[in-house]
Amino acid sequence: MHMQVGPRRGGRFNAPVVVLSLLLVIALGAWWGVDYLRARLAGNGCDALTPVEITAAPDVAPVLTRLAKTVPQEECFSVNVTARESAEVADLLGTTASGGPDVWVPESSTMLSQARDAGAWNLPESGQSVANSPVVLGLPDETARRLGWPGKAPSWQEILDDSPFGIPEPARDPLGVATLLALRKLTEKEPDPAAAFTAAMRKLNPASGQAPTTEQAVLARNLVAAYPGVPVQGFDYPFVVLPKASEASRTAAERFLRLLLDPLAGSIFADEGFRAPDGQFAVPRAQDGRIDPAPRPPGPPPVADLYAALQDWAGTNLSARVQVLLDVSGSMAAAVPGTGKSRMELTLQAATQGLGLFKPSTELGLWLFSTKLDGDKDHRVLLPMKTIAEQKSSGGVERLQAVRPKAGGATGLYDSILAAYQNARQNWKPGRINLVVVLTDGRNEDSETIGLPRLLEELGELQDPRKPLPVIGIGIGPDIDASELRQVSTATGGDSFTTPDPRKISDVFYQALSKIMCQPPTCKN
């Protein structure tokens, strides 16, 4: 008998049912995965956290660090705060095209202007303020009591009349800038405001015990705050997302900014002695007489006021940044009758002596010019921009004295002036008298030049009333074109000094230096 062999009942399977079951499992898994992803993206969890790197002024960095720790994990970003001096960050942003933080929070919006002047041309001109702190003078109890505290609040004018107080370098420190702006405001109603402001600046003494600080620092150090007595903007702590930040970091930074502007964060700022962005305390403070909690003006000062104050400071303290163009054309080798020296030797002698008249902190760079000194360029750098002290210590004086005329070289004046001026404009520094000084013994002889009309047009387009950059022309010898130098100088707000007699180079040179080193209101234009 034949027996049919087949699968047992318990092992039988139905292929269509299995396939349908598998499809159902896959569908359910897909549905669960989409739902899970939606949940993650909705803030219920994160596969990765977007990092936000913040560099902040040292006084506000601890508060930002404290608030960074309150970011909920489901926000899907993390914040790391690094404290760094704002002047260092401004230099970094001005010289580095990449790298650096995603966000910068300096003490004051004035630092944004200074960073842009340092080369960070794509830096935003403003940012959202996250806190505020008035700039004050911090007084020990003994000094404050001598001036009438706690019966009355000491004023800046009383402190200036009593004893000089110190000031940080305004071109580097926002406290210095704020102090100048306050003094400028204090003296603007005087019969001669410029003279009064200059007199006030000359009373500033870095060795003094009193110094400008912030209200927040006064609270932290248990000092007494003396307010300017005029409405002056304090530190506004702008939150600035930098151009290098990725889209993800930018979005996360904006979400962190919303957290910083929340009332809960405002109470934390107040705990640390900071005011809210509107200039008021978010939480009422106990009245202990050390500060005045009255509302203070928020926001940064006008940019025009900033530059004007820094320019006045530069004139008072003779802080200069000088780009020198020195003619080394063949005619500079000509002997000067009765001296036993060449035009070049007399010029170098006067220039070397002139270096000793500048403050050691004055910055100076020197270019040589003739024709085709560096390939097709009519100029080349002899001394890169450094302080006078650095030039002397690094052998700059010796390199200057070793300069010799280029045999057969013509005078490539126009192209060299334009190149030097463009360089000086690009590297213009606030808080200094910025100048371009041209020393020449002849008129332009370059047949491939841009020409005088085009030079004057280009110089005119490079003018910025907020950032003066005059050309000082110094011409010696019978071959000079006094009109040529005068037109160039006048186009930039400068002046020219010429003599057909090379033996008078020293007289002309010192006449020019006296113009450079004597600034209004002491010397009138």
Side-chain angles (χ1 to χ4, degrees), residues 26 94 114 163 200 215 223 229 237 249 285 318 345-347 351:
I26 292 171
Q114 297 197 45
S163 63
E215 183 183 72
L223 299 173
Y237 301 95
S249 295
R285 297 195 62 87
L318 301 179
E345 288 173 316
L346 289 178
T347 299

Short mmCIF file of all heavy atoms in Angstrom, two decimals, residues 26 94 114 163 200 215 223 229 237 249 285 318 345-347 351:
data_model
loop_
_atom_site.label_atom_id
_atom_site.label_comp_id
_atom_site.label_asym_id
_atom_site.label_seq_id
_atom_site.Cartn_x
_atom_site.Cartn_y
_atom_site.Cartn_z
N ILE A 26 6.41 45.59 8.79
CA ILE A 26 7.22 46.68 8.21
C ILE A 26 6.47 48.00 8.28
O ILE A 26 7.03 49.05 8.62
CB ILE A 26 7.59 46.33 6.75
CG1 ILE A 26 8.55 45.14 6.74
CG2 ILE A 26 8.21 47.53 6.05
CD1 ILE A 26 8.80 44.59 5.35
N GLY A 94 39.36 91.15 13.22
CA GLY A 94 39.86 92.01 12.15
C GLY A 94 40.94 91.38 11.30
O GLY A 94 41.17 91.83 10.18
N GLN A 114 35.07 99.51 16.69
CA GLN A 114 36.52 99.38 16.69
C GLN A 114 36.96 98.09 16.00
O GLN A 114 38.00 98.05 15.35
CB GLN A 114 37.03 99.46 18.13
CG GLN A 114 36.73 100.82 18.76
CD GLN A 114 37.54 101.12 20.00
OE1 GLN A 114 38.74 100.90 20.03
NE2 GLN A 114 36.89 101.63 21.02
N SER A 163 41.17 115.52 42.86
CA SER A 163 42.40 114.83 42.46
C SER A 163 42.15 114.13 41.13
O SER A 163 41.03 113.69 40.87
CB SER A 163 42.83 113.79 43.51
OG SER A 163 41.85 112.78 43.63
N ALA A 200 40.00 118.88 30.79
CA ALA A 200 39.54 117.74 31.59
C ALA A 200 40.36 116.49 31.28
O ALA A 200 40.74 115.74 32.19
CB ALA A 200 38.06 117.48 31.32
N GLU A 215 28.87 100.02 37.28
CA GLU A 215 28.03 99.89 38.46
C GLU A 215 28.04 98.45 38.96
O GLU A 215 28.08 98.19 40.18
CB GLU A 215 26.61 100.31 38.10
CG GLU A 215 25.62 100.31 39.24
CD GLU A 215 24.24 100.69 38.74
OE1 GLU A 215 23.62 99.85 38.02
OE2 GLU A 215 23.79 101.82 39.04
N LEU A 223 32.17 99.07 46.63
CA LEU A 223 32.64 100.44 46.52
C LEU A 223 31.44 101.37 46.49
O LEU A 223 30.29 100.95 46.59
CB LEU A 223 33.48 100.61 45.25
CG LEU A 223 34.75 99.77 45.15
CD1 LEU A 223 35.37 99.91 43.77
CD2 LEU A 223 35.75 100.17 46.23
N GLY A 229 26.62 112.58 36.21
CA GLY A 229 25.75 113.72 36.41
C GLY A 229 25.13 114.23 35.12
O GLY A 229 24.38 115.21 35.13
N TYR A 237 26.25 95.57 26.35
CA TYR A 237 26.44 94.13 26.17
C TYR A 237 25.66 93.58 24.97
O TYR A 237 24.71 92.81 25.13
CB TYR A 237 26.06 93.38 27.45
CG TYR A 237 26.87 93.81 28.63
CD1 TYR A 237 26.39 94.77 29.51
CD2 TYR A 237 28.14 93.29 28.86
CE1 TYR A 237 27.15 95.19 30.60
CE2 TYR A 237 28.91 93.71 29.95
CZ TYR A 237 28.41 94.66 30.81
OH TYR A 237 29.17 95.08 31.88
N SER A 249 24.03 76.72 14.00
CA SER A 249 24.49 77.45 15.18
C SER A 249 23.81 78.81 15.28
O SER A 249 23.50 79.29 16.38
CB SER A 249 26.01 77.63 15.14
OG SER A 249 26.67 76.39 15.23
N ARG A 285 16.32 96.72 43.99
CA ARG A 285 17.47 96.47 44.86
C ARG A 285 17.29 97.19 46.19
O ARG A 285 16.67 98.26 46.25
CB ARG A 285 18.77 96.94 44.20
CG ARG A 285 19.11 96.21 42.91
CD ARG A 285 20.56 96.48 42.53
NE ARG A 285 21.46 95.98 43.55
CZ ARG A 285 21.94 94.75 43.60
NH1 ARG A 285 21.60 93.88 42.66
NH2 ARG A 285 22.75 94.37 44.56
N LEU A 318 48.94 113.26 21.74
CA LEU A 318 49.90 113.11 20.63
C LEU A 318 50.13 111.65 20.27
O LEU A 318 51.26 111.23 20.02
CB LEU A 318 51.22 113.79 20.99
CG LEU A 318 51.13 115.29 21.30
CD1 LEU A 318 52.50 115.83 21.66
CD2 LEU A 318 50.55 116.05 20.14
N GLU A 345 71.04 112.19 2.14
CA GLU A 345 71.69 112.21 3.46
C GLU A 345 71.07 113.27 4.37
O GLU A 345 70.83 113.01 5.56
CB GLU A 345 73.19 112.47 3.29
CG GLU A 345 73.94 111.28 2.70
CD GLU A 345 75.40 111.61 2.38
OE1 GLU A 345 75.65 112.70 1.81
OE2 GLU A 345 76.27 110.78 2.69
N LEU A 346 70.77 114.45 3.81
CA LEU A 346 70.15 115.49 4.62
C LEU A 346 68.73 115.10 5.04
O LEU A 346 68.31 115.37 6.17
CB LEU A 346 70.11 116.81 3.84
CG LEU A 346 71.46 117.50 3.61
CD1 LEU A 346 71.27 118.77 2.78
CD2 LEU A 346 72.11 117.86 4.95
N THR A 347 68.01 114.46 4.13
CA THR A 347 66.64 114.04 4.43
C THR A 347 66.64 112.98 5.53
O THR A 347 65.85 113.04 6.48
CB THR A 347 65.95 113.48 3.17
OG1 THR A 347 65.90 114.51 2.18
CG2 THR A 347 64.53 113.03 3.49
N ALA A 351 65.00 113.15 9.20
CA ALA A 351 63.99 112.15 9.57
C ALA A 351 64.39 111.41 10.84
O ALA A 351 63.55 111.15 11.72
CB ALA A 351 63.80 111.16 8.42
#
